[in-house]
């Protein structure tokens, strides 16, 4: 009797899976008598995923070739291959559904897949990273978790996409980075030139000596030019797809690793990035000659600061 009951359940779930792939149909069907709360739970459970599994193919093309590599993912994460395939297929299905839609990614995903806002945000971050082809698989990025990438992608969607409050609107909205914003960032490239560097350095470091450790402050004083070139270079390079794809690699290689090697604490980095950003409004490059670029630079640096600090594991 137990065996028969189990077989019946498997048969039922096999039939239900077809509807779970298109959750809006589940509430319309009459074959299965399932209460709304149970339907909601089934959909949520079906679309839940393991962060360790998705981390393995995050940013990669959702192709048949990469689907074949899920055997290795299953072995590495200790998650059943069937589950890995379900998670891969769900993310691919959601991506295909919303990639051409206008409006909010989170809202579009919730509307079509009836999942919670928290889970929809994770899918939105995955779609955003996949759509922009951000590199996440390089060896130096292995220490970063799926949640680190979700946080950063969510920050970029909120502040760098077309739907950001400082954005100018566009049919693509959340899926792509705001091109006008990226064009303005390109024009900030000369901020790291010697003409403005000393003024920026003097204003930024003023008062930091009491807020940073002595070791970190001395390093910031000696390497201000290099740090500024990195921050300005990453920002001005976002206008080019190839450079934008390497944003996480560049942040880790050119900023996080040098700071870690010289012993900067999380507080040291927080204080420096805050002072570096706030100083810009007093630098003549912005104040006298390019006041129209200050909003774009502030928009860039606030998000960059949040992402750098999230990625700064000590």
């Amino acid at each position: 009797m137990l065996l028969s009951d189990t077989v019946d359940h498997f048969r039922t779930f096999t039939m239900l899976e077809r509807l779970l792939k298109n959750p809006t149909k589940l509430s319309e069907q009459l074959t299965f008598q399932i209460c709304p709360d149970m339907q909601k739970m089934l959909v949520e459970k079906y679309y839940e995923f393991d962060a360790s599994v998705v981390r393995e193919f995050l940013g990669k093309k959702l192709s048949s070739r990469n689907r074949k590599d899920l055997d290795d993912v299953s072995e590495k994460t200790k998650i059943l291959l069937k589950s890995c395939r379900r998670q891969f297929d769900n993310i691919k299905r959601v991506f295909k559904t919303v990639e051409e839609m206008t409006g909010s990614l989170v809202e579009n995903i919730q509307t079509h897949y009836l999942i919670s806002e928290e889970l929809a945000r994770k899918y939105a971050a995955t779609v955003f990273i996949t759509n922009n082809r951000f590199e996440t698989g390089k060896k130096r990025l292995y220490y970063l978790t799926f949640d680190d990438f979700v946080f950063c992608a969510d920050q970029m969607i909120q502040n760098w996409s077309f739907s950001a409050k400082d954005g100018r609107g566009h049919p693509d909205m959340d899926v792509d980075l705001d091109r006008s914003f990226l064009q303005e960032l390109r024009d900030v490239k000369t901020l790291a030139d010697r003409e403005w560097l000393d003024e920026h350095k003097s204003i930024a470091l003023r008062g930091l000596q009491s807020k940073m450790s002595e070791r970190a402050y001395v390093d910031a004083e000696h390497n201000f030019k290099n740090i500024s070139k990195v921050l300005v270079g990453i920002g001005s390079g976002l206008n080019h797809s190839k450079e934008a794809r390497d944003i996480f690699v560049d942040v880790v290689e050119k900023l996080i690793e040098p700071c870690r090697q010289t012993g900067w604490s999380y507080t040291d980095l927080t204080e420096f990035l805050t002072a570096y950003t706030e100083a810009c409004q007093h630098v003549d490059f912005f104040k006298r000659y390019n006041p129209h670029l200050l909003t774009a630079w502030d928009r860039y640096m606030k998000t960059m600061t949040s992402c750098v600090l999230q990625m700064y594991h000590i």
Side-chain angles (χ1 to χ4, degrees), residues 29-47:
Q29 58 81 37
L30 301 174
T31 306
F32 304 101
Q33 300 301 308
I34 307 173
C35 70
D37 286 345
M38 182 61 71
Q39 289 182 24
K40 186 176 180 180
M41 185 271 287
L42 283 171
V43 171
E44 189 79 4
K45 290 293 184 183
Y46 186 75
Y47 282 92

Side-chain angles (χ1 to χ4, degrees), residues 163-177:
S163 65
K165 64 182 178 70
D166 292 322
R168 297 170 188 173
H170 187 278
D172 289 337
M173 296 300 281
D174 282 357
V175 181
D176 293 318
L177 297 175

